[in-house]
Amino acid sequence: MALPITELNAVKPFKTQWKIQVKIVHSWTQYTQYSGETVEMILADTSGTLIHATVKKQQVNKFQKLITTGEWRTVENFTVAKSTGKYRPTSLPFKMTLMNTTAISRIPSISDDLYFDFANFPDILNVNGLNENILIGIFHSAYFFL
């Protein structure tokens, strides 16, 4: 029986059989002594909810060709855990990890939205100085002259 599509704000750690439709907003390769090389992603659903996702070293070769920034995918069967650590790239309290049984499928574009989630400046600069737990990115823009 096919799994129903679940919104990102509804995924929880108690099971692994979820099916989501998401846009790959951003991806990068990361290396740590603890986990080795991983592929990290920020995914968004149509409601604009963002989640941090990880592809562990063992699955990188399996999923690398399906991870294309700006494209939509269906992702089935993954783990969800509480997002911990000093830095969280999304406000969702959970992080997803792709497993060996995860299936990723290409789907047509659902939306052209960019799904930015900028922090408010007062949240970044609190009374004690810079809040180092908020990820700050740089948005590049292009200027065109006609």
Side-chain angles (χ1 to χ4, degrees):
M1 184 171 182
L3 292 170
I5 302 296
T6 303
E7 295 290 324
L8 286 177
N9 62 4
V11 296
K12 303 288 185 260
F14 61 85
K15 68 178 189 175
T16 60
Q17 292 196 330
W18 300 102
K19 182 177 182 180
I20 57 173
Q21 289 183 328
V22 291
K23 182 176 186 176
I24 302 170
V25 176
H26 186 58
S27 67
W28 67 97
T29 302
Q30 180 171 295
Y31 180 85
T32 64
Q33 289 181 337
Y34 173 72
S35 59
E37 186 174 306
T38 60
V39 174
E40 306 295 318
M41 298 178 286
I42 304 297
L43 308 175
D45 64 13
T46 55
S47 69
T49 301
L50 300 169
I51 192 168
H52 179 193
T54 297
V55 180
K56 291 187 177 178
K57 177 174 58 174
Q58 300 87 336
Q59 285 83 31
V60 168
N61 288 336
K62 178 180 179 181
F63 296 119
Q64 186 74 44
K65 65 182 179 285
L66 293 167
I67 299 171
T68 305
T69 300
E71 293 192 4
W72 284 85
R73 300 288 187 254
T74 297
V75 183
E76 295 183 62
N77 304 327
F78 50 87
T79 62
V80 178
K82 192 147 182 77
S83 184
T84 59
K86 187 173 181 179
Y87 303 105
R88 284 192 6 223
T90 69
S91 59
L92 201 65
F94 301 110
K95 174 183 175 179
M96 63 183 275
T97 302
L98 279 57
M99 309 182 302
N100 205 32
T101 57
T102 298
I104 300 178
S105 305
R106 290 180 170 91
I107 58 173
S109 179
I110 296 173
S111 170
D112 291 332
D113 286 352
L114 299 176
Y115 300 107
F116 290 122
D117 185 20
F118 296 110
N120 292 322
F121 189 74
D123 294 339
I124 297 168
L125 189 61
N126 63 29
V127 293
N128 298 322
L130 185 64
N131 182 344
E132 296 178 356
N133 295 326
I134 296 178
L135 183 64
I136 301 171
I138 299 172
F139 179 69
H140 297 279
S141 62
Y143 296 95
F144 298 96
F145 297 97
L146 298 176

